[in-house]
Amino acid sequence: MKWVSAVLLCLLVMLQYRLWFGKNSIPDYLSMQKEVEIQSIQNANLKQRNSLLIADIEDLKIGLDAAEERARNDLGLIKQGETFYRILPSEN
């Protein structure tokens, strides 16, 4: 009877060791769960950026107004007959 109890106790200790310190243990599970949360946040940010880029592409496909606005803001487009004024802040 003592022999069976010793074997069962040994098996219990080995299973507990594997649960807490072995491969795919509880600490491994918790660290992977944190990595999944971080990746989910990154994916959400990328989805938001992609939706903004898709909206920008659709605006550019629809008309020339969006392209002209973008050229004015990004490239400093000035049409023929327009006058460009540059206002500098005071040095005070």
Side-chain angles (χ1 to χ4, degrees):
M1 189 65 159
K2 290 183 181 182
W3 187 77
V4 173
S5 297
V7 169
L8 289 176
L9 181 64
C10 183
L11 284 174
L12 178 67
V13 168
M14 288 186 335
L15 288 174
Q16 285 295 315
Y17 177 80
R18 186 168 181 200
L19 176 68
W20 292 102
F21 304 110
K23 185 178 179 182
N24 298 327
S25 63
I26 291 177
D28 289 342
Y29 170 74
L30 295 175
S31 68
M32 290 298 279
Q33 193 173 25
K34 287 180 184 177
E35 288 180 26
V36 167
E37 289 175 9
I38 291 169
Q39 189 64 45
S40 296
I41 292 170
Q42 289 176 349
N43 287 348
N45 291 338
L46 290 174
K47 282 182 183 179
Q48 182 181 10
R49 187 194 72 169
N50 286 346
S51 64
L52 290 174
L53 288 174
I54 289 170
D56 200 20
I57 289 170
E58 290 300 319
D59 284 344
L60 291 172
K61 284 181 181 178
I62 289 174
L64 295 176
D65 293 335
E68 182 180 335
E69 177 185 346
R70 219 180 148 113
R72 285 181 179 275
N73 291 334
D74 295 344
L75 304 173
L77 172 72
I78 301 171
K79 287 185 177 180
Q80 186 135 9
E82 290 183 339
T83 305
F84 176 73
Y85 294 99
R86 183 172 183 183
I87 300 172
L88 298 174
S90 63
E91 295 184 17
N92 290 343

